[in-house]
């Protein structure tokens, strides 16, 4: 047992030294997390604010002006008054405005008659943004119409009717202000853990395979388990450093609340880091060359954990086949876990379920890595 | 001159052989591009198709049942639980059984009958604020339809104002339509950048680069010979993704292929320039890969692929000026969806050219000065 420990300690020390010697490792361990934190916190946002919307008033009556005034109230929209449809369409083609609202010449007459129409044209190149703008513009115009109808007294007869209307009072749990930063920043932890764990490990191990230094190690008294552990420990440490940076930034830079316990966040991140590192080990043992290992790691980690883990696109709404692929990725379970811990709190049934899956992945991948590494001894 | 072309052609041939002689790297350079564009094409949707909800109907009246029937008939909302008390709400939301809970108060029908506004409570799980926002929008739309029906039944005129909405360039507002053209540039950059960065670094690590330098080839010839093969690989990958977008997803292309490929050539050359520069400053493959990655992630995130550039703060928007992907995505999306010509998107070629003009000579210079 003591032989195990001395061998492990000296091997680990060697790995640490190797890690620290090369500045490019620190770039990925420290610089990249910091850059990503700033981008995620400040740069990425799906919220629509001050979207330029062209307003063409072909009816210059006060009624029409008033109907449009509601648009100004919405923080999502910045209306720009234009003289003609021609002008508006030109701006839209140049993508200078996101939408055109056209109030036709007979608007006030039609409104009095109860059948006014307003034309809304959105730029569809960014579908998500266009949908939001559509909802805001329609909502603002509908409200303005109701206000005017109300002021018109009972003349339209609407108030005299024996029926009320249903209104919706909505409450956003866990993210009352509904800012996307709050869900993007916890997602960042998933991305960083995946990168540092899988990418760095896959690369470093593949290098040893390619150069044959791993075989050289095998002829020494060290056992494969010790080599694997010594490889894992330094990258694990780098990953934890990345986690610490993320947590500090989430707390102090972006004021993302952490409703759940810090201990649960740290423990589950450690668990996921083990999964990511093991994934890296498997990739490197299977490919055994740096070029392939880095391409596989790139394809298997970065894009999927961004596109398929529920980070951006909700897995509830994708076709079944894609949902299945998403649920094969360990990142999906960690994403669910970390977001819940940050925003919803310690929801134990959910924590146990996701942690159980991650433990299964960790054990499975480590055994696989061990099996693939041992085979090379033959 | 013929010597020049011959030497470049020979080096290109050798490089292409080095890339493609290994069957595994043949697979890795082309299969993932197709797979990823297929999977991501399906994954990319902000539309809701399946919203599990729980109902807490304390009124249990005809009106509340009718309203809920409207919700169920959309096919988007699926009731997963019927709650008895307010205390049950927390559990279904916390454990993600339901994305939202609709609570209808006991006096719902009375209020409605008395001509008053009757509120329903909507409690949403906003862990994914995007989904929550859309779901709230869907519920509001259903409620508005129900209101219109109530008015009609009561003999009131229909709503005095209707908004006629239309979308240019993407009539059904599908997220996929803007993601896939973006992927034509983004996915190919991921792999070509890595491929290029490794090409010189690997030779340096194996010592063959020094041998290359003692041949009669000039640094310029070496650089062109090293740059052309990855450019070809990048364009081939883009073509595969373009084919998936066109024929699998059937997204109509409004612009011309010539304009699209002009943009792609500029873009690929610029990315290869960056790759070669990384390659030239790295001492070994590992460094080249790590530096590539450190550049790649911010370039992807600040490209406008997943979140719009316009939403970024001013400082970051300035930084995106150095990002070739940002201009390529804008160009490809506009040519593909809006059908604009070079006269509209030519300004995107300027930053791409500048990046190429800076990085390629830099790489060539670094090749030579590394030896000394």
């Amino acid at each position: 047992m003591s032989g195990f420990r001395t061998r492990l300690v000296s091997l680990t020390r060697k790995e640490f030294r190797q890690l620290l010697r090369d500045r490019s490792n620190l770039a990925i361990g420290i610089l990249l997390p910091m850059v990503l934190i700033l981008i995620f916190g400040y740069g990425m946002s799906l919220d629509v604010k001050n979207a330029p919307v062209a307003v063409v008033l072909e009816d210059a009556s006060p009624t029409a002006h008033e109907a449009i005034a509601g648009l100004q109230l919405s923080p999502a929209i910045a209306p720009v008054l234009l003289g003609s449809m021609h002008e508006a369409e030109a701006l839209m083609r140049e993508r200078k405005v996101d939408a055109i609202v056209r109030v036709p010449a007979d608007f006030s007459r039609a409104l009095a008659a109860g059948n006014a129409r307003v034309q809304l044209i959105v730029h569809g190149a960014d579908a998500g943004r266009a949908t939001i703008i559509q909802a805001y513009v329609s909502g603002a115009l509908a409200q303005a119409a109701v206000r005017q109808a109300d002021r018109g007294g009972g003349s339209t007869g609407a108030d005299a009717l024996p029926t009320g209307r249903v209104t919706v009072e909505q409450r956003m749990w866990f993210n009352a202000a509904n800012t996307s930063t709050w869900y993007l920043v916890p997602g960042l932890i998933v991305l960083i853990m995946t990168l540092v764990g899988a990418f760095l490990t896959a690369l470093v191990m593949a290098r040893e395979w390619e150069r044959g230094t791993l075989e050289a190690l095998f002829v020494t008294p060290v056992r494969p388990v010790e080599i694997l552990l010594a490889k894992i420990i330094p990258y694990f440490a780098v990953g934890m450093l990345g986690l610490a940076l993320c947590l500090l930034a989430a707390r102090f830079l972006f004021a993302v609340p952490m409703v759940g316990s810090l201990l649960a966040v740290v423990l589950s991140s450690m668990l996921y880091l083990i999964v990511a590192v093991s994934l890296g080990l498997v990739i490197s043992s299977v490919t055994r060359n740096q070029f392939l290992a880095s391409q596989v790691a790139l394809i298997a980690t970065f894009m999927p954990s961004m596109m398929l883990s529920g980070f951006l696109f909700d897995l509830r709404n994708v076709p079944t086949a894609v949902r299945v692929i998403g649920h094969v990725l360990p990142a999906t379970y960690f994403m669910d876990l970390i977001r819940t811990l940050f925003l919803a709190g310690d929801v134990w049934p959910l924590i146990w379920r996701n942690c159980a899956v991650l433990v299964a992945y960790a054990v499975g991948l480590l055994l696989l890595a061990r099996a693939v590494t041992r085979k090379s001894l033959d | 001159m013929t010597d020049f072309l011959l030497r470049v052609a020979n080096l290109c041939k050798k490089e292409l052989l080095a890339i493609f002689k290994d069957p595994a790297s043949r697979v890795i350079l082309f299969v993932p591009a197709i797979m990823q564009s297929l999977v991501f094409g399906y994954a990319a949707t902000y539309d809701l198709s399946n919203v599990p909800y729980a109902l807490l109907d304390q009124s249990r009246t005809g009106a509340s049942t009718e309203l809920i029937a409207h919700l169920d008939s959309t096919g988007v909302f699926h009731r997963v639980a019927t709650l008895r008390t307010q205390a049950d709400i927390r559990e279904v939301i916390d454990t993600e059984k339901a994305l939202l809970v609709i609570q209808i108060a006991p006096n719902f029908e009375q209020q409605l009958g008395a001509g008053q506004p009757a509120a329903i409570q909507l409690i949403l799980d906003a862990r994914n604020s995007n989904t929550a926002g859309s779901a709230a929008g869907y519920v509001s739309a259903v409620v508005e339809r129900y209101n219109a029906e109530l008015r009609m039944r009561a003999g009131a005129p229909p709503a005095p104002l209707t908004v006629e909405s239309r979308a240019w360039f993407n009539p059904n507002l599908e997220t996929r339509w803007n993601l896939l053209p973006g992927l034509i540039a983004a996915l190919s950059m991921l792999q070509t950048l890595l491929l290029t960065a490794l090409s010189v670094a690997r030779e340096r690590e194996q010592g063959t680069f020094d041998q290359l330098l003692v041949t009669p080839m000039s640094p310029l010839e070496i650089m062109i010979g090293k740059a052309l093969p990855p450019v070809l690989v990048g364009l081939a990958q883009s073509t595969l993704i373009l084919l998936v977008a066109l024929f699998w997803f059937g997204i109509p292309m409004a612009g011309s292929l010539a304009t699209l490929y002009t943009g792609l050539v500029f873009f690929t050359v610029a990315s290869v320039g960056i790759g070669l520069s990384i390659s030239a400053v790295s001492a070994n493959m590992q460094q080249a890969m790590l530096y590539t990655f450190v550049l790649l992630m911010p370039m992807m995130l600040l490209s406008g692929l997943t979140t719009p550039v316009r939403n970024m703060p001013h400082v970051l928007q300035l930084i995106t000026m150095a990002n070739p992907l940002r201009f390529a995505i804008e160009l490809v999306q506009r040519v593909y969806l809006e059908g604009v010509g070079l006269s509209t998107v030519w300004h995107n070629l300027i930053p791409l050219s500048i990046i190429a003009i800076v990085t390629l000579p830099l790489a060539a210079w670094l090749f030579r000065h590394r030896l000394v």
Side-chain angles (χ1 to χ4, degrees):
Chain A
M1 191 61 207
S2 81
F4 171 77
R5 195 179 298 160
T6 33
R7 283 195 299 265
L8 186 61
V9 167
S10 37
L11 265 178
T12 309
R13 193 179 294 152
K14 173 217 144 213
E15 292 295 335
F16 258 113
R17 216 172 271 166
Q18 217 165 5
L19 175 88
L20 293 174
R21 204 179 45 196
D22 191 341
R23 257 174 304 156
S24 61
N25 281 323
L26 294 179
I28 217 166
I30 296 167
L31 182 69
L32 190 60
M34 294 207 299
V35 170
L36 290 182
I37 286 166
L38 295 178
I39 294 177
F40 270 64
Y42 294 115
M44 292 185 73
S45 168
L46 293 163
D47 308 332
V48 177
K49 280 189 191 118
N50 293 322
V53 170
V55 177
V56 181
L57 278 181
E58 288 170 355
D59 175 0
S61 70
T63 325
H65 270 284
E66 218 184 294
I68 290 305
L71 291 180
Q72 236 117 25
L73 299 175
S74 163
I77 298 163
V80 194
L81 215 58
L82 292 177
S84 71
M85 240 354 235
H86 189 70
E87 223 178 309
E89 283 180 6
L91 279 181
M92 182 100 134
R93 289 227 163 75
E94 286 168 45
R95 222 167 166 173
K96 295 254 167 66
V97 295
D98 285 327
I100 303 175
V101 177
R102 179 188 184 199
V103 181
D106 63 345
F107 178 78
S108 41
R109 215 162 3 101
L111 190 67
N115 59 0
R117 290 174 183 281
V118 170
Q119 208 181 12
L120 168 66
I121 306 167
V122 291
H123 198 300
D126 185 340
R129 192 178 172 86
T131 314
I132 296 172
I133 292 173
Q134 223 176 26
Y136 275 123
V137 172
S138 315
L141 290 177
Q143 272 174 15
V146 168
R147 268 201 309 276
Q148 280 183 336
D150 284 353
R151 206 141 14 94
S155 65
T156 55
D159 293 344
L161 290 172
T163 180
R165 59 195 314 278
V166 181
T167 57
V168 180
E169 281 173 15
Q170 65 180 51
R171 279 191 295 149
M172 296 280 183
W173 275 15
F174 315 131
N175 186 354
N178 214 23
T179 51
S180 50
T181 314
W182 280 24
Y183 85 90
L184 291 175
V185 170
L188 171 66
I189 296 180
V190 180
L191 225 57
I192 290 193
M193 295 280 133
T194 314
L195 285 185
V196 171
F199 192 75
L200 220 51
T201 318
L203 217 68
V204 172
M205 281 294 276
R207 176 154 122 145
E208 300 243 10
W209 280 114
E210 194 171 307
R211 292 184 165 177
T213 45
L214 213 55
E215 269 91 348
L217 266 181
F218 284 141
V219 298
T220 65
V222 295
R223 284 174 294 171
V225 178
E226 293 158 6
I227 298 176
L228 290 183
L229 278 177
K231 282 281 176 197
I232 289 175
I233 292 167
Y235 297 103
F236 190 81
V238 175
M240 292 314 282
L241 187 70
L243 175 70
L245 287 173
C246 288
L247 292 180
L248 287 173
R251 179 86 181 75
F252 296 106
L253 227 46
F254 307 117
V256 180
M258 199 203 284
V259 187
S261 56
L262 180 65
L263 187 70
V265 170
V266 172
L267 287 179
S268 58
S269 305
M270 285 167 79
L271 182 58
Y272 181 67
L273 194 54
I274 295 176
V275 174
V277 167
S278 324
L279 184 64
L281 285 180
V282 171
I283 292 175
S284 61
S285 323
V286 172
T287 57
R288 295 195 185 179
N289 99 40
Q290 293 189 77
F291 174 70
L292 280 181
S294 59
Q295 291 277 11
V296 171
L298 185 67
I299 291 160
T301 59
F302 172 43
M303 289 301 277
S305 55
M306 205 162 85
M307 304 287 295
L308 301 176
S309 68
F311 171 58
L312 285 172
F313 306 107
D314 201 309
L315 283 178
R316 276 181 285 237
N317 302 308
V318 302
T320 318
V322 178
R323 190 157 51 228
V324 170
I325 299 174
H327 281 107
V328 170
L329 292 176
T332 305
Y333 300 93
F334 185 50
M335 186 70 76
D336 191 27
L337 195 56
I338 203 83
R339 224 177 241 167
T340 297
L341 281 172
F342 258 93
L343 300 177
D346 295 329
V347 185
W348 292 110
L350 216 140
I351 294 177
W352 291 133
R353 196 178 68 211
N354 286 318
C355 280
V357 176
L358 289 179
V359 167
Y361 267 105
V363 173
L365 287 169
L366 276 175
L367 287 177
L368 186 61
R370 170 75 216 265
V372 196
T373 312
R374 195 196 336 220
K375 236 167 57 185
S376 71
L377 281 172
D378 307 332
Chain B
M1 190 61 198
T2 46
D3 278 0
F4 174 83
L5 286 179
L6 199 67
R7 283 198 291 264
V8 168
N10 280 331
L11 184 57
C12 276
K13 202 169 139 198
K14 179 227 131 194
E15 287 295 320
L16 281 170
L17 272 175
I19 296 171
F20 291 115
K21 71 165 196 281
D22 178 9
S25 57
R26 282 201 292 268
V27 171
I28 204 80
L29 285 175
F30 296 115
V31 175
I34 302 173
M35 300 290 291
Q36 283 182 304
S37 45
L38 279 174
V39 174
F40 298 163
Y42 281 116
T45 174
Y46 288 120
D47 292 338
L48 302 183
S49 56
N50 175 21
V51 178
Y53 79 96
L55 176 66
L56 174 56
D57 184 0
Q58 293 165 320
S59 119
R60 281 192 219 91
T61 51
S64 66
T65 316
E66 206 176 67
L67 176 64
I68 292 303
H70 271 71
L71 204 65
D72 288 331
S73 70
T74 58
V76 172
F77 294 87
H78 301 286
R79 198 195 306 180
V80 288
T82 308
L83 309 180
R84 298 189 168 277
T85 68
Q86 207 156 350
D88 297 337
I89 296 176
R90 179 156 283 284
E91 202 259 327
V92 287
I93 293 274
D94 276 357
T95 56
E96 294 177 338
K97 275 200 201 94
L99 177 67
L100 57 92
V101 172
I102 294 173
Q103 187 185 353
I104 303 177
N107 57 357
F108 179 73
E109 201 177 49
Q110 281 110 297
Q111 281 186 321
L112 213 52
Q116 289 167 343
I120 60 167
Q121 291 275 340
L122 187 61
I123 295 124
L124 294 133
D125 173 0
R127 263 169 276 192
N128 184 329
S129 63
N130 224 1
T131 311
S134 310
Y138 278 48
V139 173
S140 300
V142 169
V143 166
E144 280 319 311
R145 274 203 296 279
Y146 180 66
N147 281 335
E149 207 180 293
L150 283 181
R151 285 175 67 96
M152 214 171 68
R153 234 183 288 159
L161 182 134
T162 44
V163 177
E164 288 172 344
S165 191
R166 206 149 53 90
W168 276 6
F169 313 124
N170 183 358
N172 298 321
L173 290 179
E174 288 179 56
T175 320
R176 186 180 299 154
W177 280 40
N178 66 305
L179 184 92
L180 270 159
L183 286 182
I184 292 175
L187 284 184
S188 71
M189 188 191 72
L190 286 181
Q191 287 191 283
T192 38
L193 201 60
L194 201 50
L195 179 69
T196 320
L198 290 180
S199 75
V200 176
R202 179 196 280 148
E203 296 218 28
R204 185 166 283 139
E205 193 168 313
Q206 295 171 350
T208 51
F209 195 65
D210 292 347
Q211 291 171 18
L212 197 60
L213 287 175
V214 296
T215 61
M217 298 193 79
S218 70
L220 179 71
E221 289 163 357
I222 296 179
M223 192 205 66
I224 297 176
K226 284 275 175 194
L228 261 181
V231 168
L232 294 177
V233 171
L235 289 174
Q237 283 195 336
S238 297
T239 307
L240 288 177
I241 302 160
L242 174 68
L243 292 175
V244 170
L246 278 175
F247 296 112
W248 184 271
F249 289 112
I251 305 170
M253 175 148 143
S256 81
L257 277 177
T259 317
L260 187 76
Y261 274 92
T262 309
L264 285 176
V265 167
F266 274 77
F267 165 64
T268 316
V269 171
S271 347
V272 165
I274 293 178
L276 281 178
S277 299
I278 295 176
S279 194
V281 295
S282 313
N284 53 46
M285 286 173 83
Q286 191 189 335
Q287 279 188 2
M289 277 178 244
L290 294 179
Y291 289 142
T292 307
F293 220 72
V294 170
L295 273 180
L296 208 51
M297 300 262 324
M299 270 165 37
M300 283 292 289
L301 296 173
L302 294 178
S303 67
L305 180 69
T306 48
T307 60
V309 175
R310 213 183 276 173
N311 278 10
M312 294 167 195
H314 210 70
V315 185
L316 284 177
Q317 288 200 26
L318 283 179
I319 294 178
T320 65
M321 294 296 163
N323 182 0
L325 189 57
R326 181 238 151 118
F327 298 100
I329 285 181
E330 190 177 314
L331 185 145
V332 174
Q333 280 184 345
R334 297 202 63 183
V335 172
Y336 196 118
L337 293 176
E338 299 171 31
V340 298
L342 263 190
S343 56
T344 311
V345 287
W346 63 270
H347 62 91
N348 287 300
L349 299 181
I350 298 173
L352 294 176
S353 318
I354 293 176
I355 293 168
I357 290 168
V358 171
T359 53
L360 288 171
L362 177 76
W365 185 84
L366 284 167
F367 288 164
R368 185 176 12 202
H369 291 257
R370 267 269 163 175
L371 231 202
V372 202

